Amino acid sequence: MRALKGTVGLVSWIALVATSSRSADFCGESGEPSLLQLSPKQACTPIAYLKTHKTGSSTMQSILLRLAVRRRMEIFWPDCSGDFNYPSHFPGPMAEKVPANHQFDMILHHAVLNVSAFRSYLKPSAFFVTVLREPVSQMTSVFNWYRRFYNWASLDEFIDYLATSPEEQQRPRRIGRHLGIARNFQARDLGFYESGGRANSSDAEVASWIKSLSDVFSYPSKGLVVIKERYDEGLILLQHALRVDLEDVSYMAMRVQDASSAKYEEPTARQSRRIRDLANIDAQVYDHFRQTFEALWEDRRGSAKLDDSIEELRQVNDNLTTSCRESNGSHCELFVEDLPELRNMVRQKLGLETCARPGKVHAQDPEYMLSAL
Ligand SMILES: Nc1ncnc2c1ncn2[C@@H]1O[C@H](COP(=O)(O)OS(=O)(=O)O)[C@@H](OP(=O)(O)O)[C@H]1O
């Protein structure tokens, strides 16, 4: 029965890909028959992806990694690390090894956003993308994901830690306890502190910083802030802006935690208030971009039949998830749920050496924690 269901899922996925596979005109080539068939090197929109934490950012990275393979786009890799010197300056020591020369098509790994430094590595007219998440749910995800590394006894202990830890926490590269988790995690990823923001910045200063971000991520010509709570809508807008095919933005969700597990803690109303108060900058950024997103979506949905595209995307995703969990057919090659494994598959496809995977190590080993980023 399972096998039959998998076959039906696979057949309908292939049918969907076949029917929805249009020419990727923006990249110059037409008639690409399959997602995994490599096309010659093509000129595509360079992408500056700012990978935030616990926002659905790994799923987005997986989509962009596949896009890079399909379009033969050149990725700026932080060697085998999962980040560019996070949470310190981008790109860190990589700058000596790889001087900036507008040479890459994509930046995809965790970093602190520095728009001009990102641009200096990318070909001209890069499209800026990021994902933001409602801050209480983001910090709940952070707590439940990282608690095994930090040994927080409870959500209250985690919130106490946030309240007492410095806003802009630096991580000595090899000491796991200071991995970099701090309040206003998303604002820090977006470069708030690096651009001079402080815990006691005035409302006007925060508003001015948000305005500068709005410009960097302004849709459709410059960029897009995807809202985690409107993920698929965001992907459809991304698909339109990059002028890629629907299957280019199809995905299997990554790093999904089991919220029904006994170990998963949801905040009480009081804990939610505490988190939201501590993440005051994140709350302002999120509220701003959520509003912008809703207005954008309302503006676009009627004219372009975007609701139909969402249905189609969800069907493709469901079929992919079912068929690729049940079989490892060739169309599933790059639809794996383990991010480091996917990165290795992509490196192989792009002719690079694969990275060593850490073996089974103790959860307190800092190397292990780095790889978990
Ligand atoms: N497509 C899509 N839509 C909505 N939500 C999604 C999606 N993909 C992943 N997720 C959720 O994102 C959380 C994982 O975030 P990240 O991938 O950013 O984590 S990480 O920082 O890379 O470790 C994790 O949230 P929690 O399960 O609450 O922890 C995932 O469930």
Side-chain angles (χ1 to χ4, degrees), residues 65-352:
L65 284 165
R66 284 186 290 270
L67 191 67
V69 171
R70 191 180 182 203
R71 308 291 155 120
R72 284 300 200 190
M73 293 169 84
E74 210 158 323
I75 297 172
F76 182 17
W77 295 92
D79 283 337
C80 282
S81 164
D83 66 279
F84 283 104
N85 198 36
Y86 188 88
S88 197
H89 309 297
F90 167 87
M94 282 299 288
E96 280 171 37
K97 206 169 153 191
V98 184
N101 192 21
H102 297 289
Q103 65 269 55
F104 294 106
D105 296 299
M106 281 193 192
I107 292 170
L108 298 176
H109 292 77
H110 283 299
V112 171
L113 180 65
N114 177 330
V115 174
S116 57
F118 269 46
R119 283 199 212 282
S120 70
Y121 277 96
L122 290 167
K123 292 172 188 165
S125 307
F127 189 82
F128 279 71
V129 186
T130 195
V131 190
L132 294 183
R133 179 174 183 175
E134 191 287 313
V136 176
S137 103
Q138 189 246 1
M139 287 316 269
T140 305
S141 171
V142 167
F143 164 72
N144 283 292
W145 180 265
Y146 288 105
R147 76 183 295 185
R148 64 200 135 137
F149 308 127
Y150 281 67
N151 293 328
W152 291 308
S154 65
L155 188 50
D156 274 324
E157 192 183 303
F158 169 63
I159 299 171
D160 290 343
Y161 161 81
L162 289 180
T164 53
S165 62
E167 278 275 290
E168 186 187 11
Q169 218 179 74
Q170 293 298 314
R171 174 187 66 181
R173 297 276 308 166
R174 303 210 157 261
I175 301 182
R177 183 76 192 169
H178 300 282
L179 180 72
I181 290 171
R183 58 188 112 137
N184 295 311
F185 209 163
Q186 297 177 80
R188 201 262 306 281
D189 289 351
L190 286 165
F192 176 70
Y193 299 109
E194 185 160 293
S195 63
R198 290 291 165 260
N200 58 0
S201 289
S202 68
D203 286 353
E205 285 164 336
V206 176
S208 148
W209 174 70
I210 291 175
K211 191 168 177 307
S212 68
L213 277 185
S214 297
D215 182 48
V216 170
F217 289 94
S218 82
Y219 189 86
S221 56
K222 294 185 184 169
L224 174 67
V225 175
V226 173
I227 297 296
K228 189 257 187 209
E229 290 73 18
R230 305 280 261 144
Y231 209 92
D232 291 341
E233 290 84 344
L235 287 177
I236 296 299
L237 292 178
L238 184 67
Q239 183 218 337
H240 281 240
L242 297 178
R243 293 191 237 168
V244 294
D245 299 333
L246 187 78
E247 59 271 25
D248 282 324
V249 295
S250 61
Y251 65 86
M252 287 167 76
M254 319 267 288
R255 298 194 170 171
V256 177
Q257 298 187 79
D258 179 6
S260 66
S261 117
K263 282 193 191 147
Y264 194 93
E265 257 189 79
E266 294 277 7
T268 60
R270 184 178 161 277
Q271 288 168 329
S272 296
R273 274 196 304 278
R274 283 190 75 198
I275 296 174
R276 192 152 171 113
D277 286 349
L278 287 167
N280 61 325
I281 313 284
D282 277 12
Q284 290 176 68
V285 182
Y286 175 80
D287 290 349
H288 172 86
F289 283 106
R290 174 84 198 233
Q291 264 184 19
T292 307
F293 187 91
E294 295 301 343
L296 180 62
W297 182 253
E298 275 315 306
D299 184 48
R300 305 257 158 175
R301 69 190 293 194
S303 56
K305 296 199 180 141
L306 296 187
D307 291 329
D308 293 350
S309 302
I310 299 248
E311 282 312 306
E312 200 183 344
L313 176 64
R314 288 186 179 152
Q315 206 179 334
V316 172
N317 291 342
D318 284 352
N319 290 337
L320 260 178
T321 305
T322 309
S323 73
C324 293
R325 279 191 181 150
E326 290 181 356
S327 81
N328 48 7
S330 61
H331 73 286
C332 295
E333 201 179 8
L334 294 181
F335 286 93
V336 290
E337 288 166 279
D338 179 271
L339 192 55
E341 188 185 330
L342 173 62
R343 287 186 194 135
N344 267 343
M345 304 285 299
V346 169
R347 288 176 70 92
Q348 251 177 351
K349 290 264 168 209
L350 297 176
L352 300 167

